[in-house]
Amino acid sequence: MTTQELLRKLEPPKGRVDVVLDTDTNNEIDDQIAIAYMLHAQEKLNVRALYAAPFYNSKSSGPEDGMLKSYDEIMKLLTLDGREDLKANVFQGSRAYLADEATPVDSPAARDLAERAMNYTADAPLYV
């Protein structure tokens, strides 16, 4: 890649962009804020999907429980915001953490992201 091509790719996008968000929404408040921002930045962002990510801390009994709580929280936020239309594009993430760098963990979110990303190009990317 030439320096000119690299600089062009670093420019902020013009117009609306398609985005997806992978989020442990029930873990900390920053994710609820990110979702609210995305939903109300319609002049810039076209929200295509939301993915519930696993987390494990004092708010959950393990990664799967954390992911399921995040999934429920995403659904709750969409209801509160009147965005029932997006609920069909909310996907559960993995129920466990990666065992290592070479072993994937299958999930509805991972499958949706892979399938969805295949429909985009370097010049018109999907922002994750």
Side-chain angles (χ1 to χ4, degrees):
M1 181 179 306
T2 69
T3 301
Q4 190 174 33
E5 290 171 326
L6 178 61
L7 290 173
R8 184 179 58 80
K9 289 185 179 289
L10 292 173
E11 290 178 10
K14 293 173 178 58
R16 289 179 75 191
V17 296
D18 287 354
V19 296
V20 298
L21 180 65
D22 184 50
T23 168
D24 59 349
T25 311
N26 199 59
N27 188 10
E28 299 167 334
I29 190 70
D30 62 323
D31 294 82
Q32 286 98 335
I33 294 168
I35 290 172
Y37 176 82
M38 288 177 65
L39 295 176
H40 292 273
Q42 294 176 5
E43 73 285 352
K44 296 178 182 182
L45 305 174
N46 185 23
V47 180
R48 292 297 188 189
L50 299 167
Y51 306 129
F55 73 91
Y56 175 53
N57 61 22
S58 62
K59 294 182 178 184
S60 67
S61 61
E64 178 177 9
D65 179 57
M67 181 277 296
L68 291 171
K69 285 179 177 177
S70 289
Y71 179 85
D72 291 344
E73 184 72 7
I74 293 168
M75 294 301 213
K76 178 181 175 183
L77 290 169
L78 292 176
T79 296
L80 290 170
D81 200 59
R83 292 299 307 266
E84 304 289 328
D85 60 303
L86 277 177
K87 286 187 173 183
N89 291 312
V90 178
F91 298 89
Q92 293 184 0
S94 61
R95 296 177 180 273
Y97 294 134
L98 293 172
D100 55 56
E101 293 178 7
T103 308
V105 177
D106 191 26
S107 72
R111 288 186 178 273
D112 181 77
L113 177 58
E115 183 179 323
R116 195 176 292 276
M118 297 295 287
N119 295 315
Y120 289 84
T121 66
D123 291 329
L126 174 65
Y127 289 81
V128 180

